[in-house]
Amino acid sequence: MKPSVVTIEPNGHFCSDCAVRGSAVCSSLDAAELKEFEHLGRRVHFSSGETVFSEEDITTSFYNVLEGVMRLYKLLPDGRRQIVGFALPGDFLGMNLSGRHNFSADAIGAVTVCQFAKAPFGRFIEDRPQLLRRINELAIRELSQARDHMVLLGRRSADEKVAAFLLGWRERLLALKGPSDTVPLPMSRQDIADYLGLTIETVSRTFTKLERHGAIEIIHGGISLLDPARVEALAAA
Amino acid sequence: MKPSVVTIEPNGHFCSDCAVRGSAVCSSLDAAELKEFEHLGRRVHFSSGETVFSEEDITTSFYNVLEGVMRLYKLLPDGRRQIVGFALPGDFLGMNLSGRHNFSADAIGAVTVCQFAKAPFGRFIEDRPQLLRRINELAIRELSQARDHMVLLGRRSADEKVAAFLLGWRERLLALKGPSDTVPLPMSRQDIADYLGLTIETVSRTFTKLERHGAIEIIHGGISLLDPARVEALAAA
DNA sequence: GGCCAAAATTGATCTGGGTCAACCGCGTTT
DNA sequence: AAACGCGGTTGACCCAGATCAATTTTGGCC
């Protein structure tokens, strides 16, 4: 992706009516703190395919996803890619020890983030253990997800991977958009393949197989879960 | 493994001369805090193969590994196992959100841990943001390792997996035992296979292949890196 | 030492998913 | 509307690693 020309809203946004107010890092802050916090972040927009940060970049900012979906991935020198996760509104990105991001992040479709410069954010945390605790919670949640994903990558068959992915993705959207058997899939087949450790052909074939068996219906921009129980059985867990 | 009969040293240990004093969670505490901290933990021994905690258990304790090696793993209902990591002295276990461990932990050989009851430990952290920050650091480091491992599981060949494992394991031991081309492997071939998402036969064959090519020598309880550069080239990153 | 069980190695064969290649559908450009 | 490009699907074939099946080696334990 080409270097992005980002649009920065100069000001005029308020944390208090932010869409992710309840679920993001800032959920640990009270009204007074929020007022102060407001000055630290700035909304930044990225359009489809733009890279928000790269693996080898020195970390200068933290990011709070407000809208849209991002793919988080690592590349091997020869170009093989592993997507380590998809980021959704409420997710917090940029934590690391080395001072460098250890994965890259691209926008899938239009994305809005709340960007914080590293230093002032660090200072703000300093005397607010509540916020640190919240960040720790998010890290631990991600760690748990990462371990689940290791099981999927190391020990599950292609069918199980795809079924587990569909259910897991639906589950994540549930918190954001409410329950639905229609599961939008904004990412490409290649993204799904790189997330599951498969090839694009295998993902495609598995989708059509699920459809032939009446478990799902492939619709434009996503799938419809016709038989959730069947898909759950396939996911085998 | 059968329910363990653990040996508890009644008292008489001191954090100040603990082997992992410098690297573990407690590295964030000063001398005075350490004095208080000392009363919270108790040393517990486990012998080879004993289970320290299980995936579905409710978390009642945190653990700081003092001596030995543990395998951390998740099981699928049908018995397939994925080892999500090996714990070494200095590693901190038990953090979670759900109130349940999300993986199981067995001793590989004799293990000593410093065990903390959840509630008092939580209270101790309460007004010690330094300790919380340290725990956060450890979580972030693990997260980074978890992502690397996802790349390995999803996108690397068997040869690359084995080579990367040997180098990674040597790297971890470096911090504990100093540099060496002799790499002890206390875990079984089955453990290695379940860590790499392979079968025991493939691990065994890959070892012998590496030996035939003169890259390593298989010795009792481990391997010797005869040609580190060759192994690094095989690991392909 | 000799015996047994578990761990590791090795060989033969099979197969799930990868690779290579053709093709389809659809939105965009000219 | 023809031509193009791109994401996705489908088919034919192949191979890395799994599976199945013997051995061989190792490690307690009387």
Side-chain angles (χ1 to χ4, degrees), chain A residues 217-231:
Chain A
E217 190 188 356
I218 300 170
I219 57 179
H220 179 74
I223 62 103
S224 183
L225 270 183
L226 301 180
D227 189 348
R230 166 101 58 122
V231 179

Side-chain angles (χ1 to χ4, degrees), chain B residues 170-182:
Chain B
R170 178 171 78 143
E171 183 69 17
R172 288 195 67 192
L173 295 182
L174 189 148
L176 289 170
K177 315 198 174 191
S180 168
D181 283 346
T182 302

